[in-house]
Amino acid sequence: MPNYWLLLVREDNFSFIKEHNIYGCRDVGCRWAMKKVSKGDIVITYVIKEGCTNYCSSFTGAFMVISDWVKNEKPTFPDEVKANHIIYEYIIHLKPIVIGKLNIYDVIQKLSFTREQRLNKALHSVAPTYSFSKPLPEDDAEIIINELKKRASK
């Protein structure tokens, strides 16, 4: 049975993830992500507000993790290329399940992980880069994935 995780990403990095089917982690959060996210898990991308123009506060895709974590050997992501050095120390390869746009406020009332806590805390509670996080409940993941599929087919 896979675990489901929420990847909080900047919009430019989501575009890169979507095109190249890889995700990278960095800093202390990388250590947590590498312990929690495994081959066969499902990750759902969520675009944060920072630097965002089109996908702000939206779930944007679901992907199956199809590799183990591997060391990033060269600047790959847009912010790495711009800085001309590696920021994301380790990467995993992904296989898309669905790509779309689902604003969190369109489904927030249906999601159990957002109840009884502030949204920002709720998002971090299911993001693998935090020590205190736990997997996204399967029912919530299914709601998000099914809603993304409905919107992707339009």
Side-chain angles (χ1 to χ4, degrees), residues 38-101:
S38 302
K39 191 176 182 179
D41 284 352
I42 306 296
V43 294
I44 296 173
T45 49
Y46 177 87
V47 174
I48 61 173
K49 291 180 185 176
E50 181 185 344
C52 180
T53 56
N54 296 318
Y55 294 99
C56 312
S57 302
S58 293
F59 301 106
T60 52
F63 303 82
M64 177 178 282
V65 177
I66 59 169
S67 76
D68 294 321
W69 290 93
V70 294
K71 190 149 182 67
N72 190 5
E73 301 292 334
K74 64 180 182 176
T76 307
F77 288 82
D79 45 350
E80 290 180 318
V81 172
K82 185 176 180 181
N84 196 29
H85 68 85
I86 295 171
I87 297 171
Y88 305 99
E89 304 163 61
Y90 289 87
I91 60 172
I92 50 176
H93 295 269
L94 308 170
K95 178 181 177 185
I97 296 168
V98 62
I99 304 292
K101 180 181 178 183

Side-chain angles (χ1 to χ4, degrees), residues 44-47 55-61 99-108 110-111 140-151:
I44 296 173
T45 49
Y46 177 87
V47 174
Y55 294 99
C56 312
S57 302
S58 293
F59 301 106
T60 52
I99 304 292
K101 180 181 178 183
L102 171 63
N103 190 287
I104 192 164
Y105 296 104
D106 292 343
V107 291
I108 198 165
K110 297 177 184 177
L111 303 173
D140 288 351
E142 287 177 6
I143 289 167
I144 294 165
I145 292 168
N146 288 335
E147 287 295 326
L148 279 169
K149 285 179 178 176
K150 285 181 196 174
R151 292 155 198 263

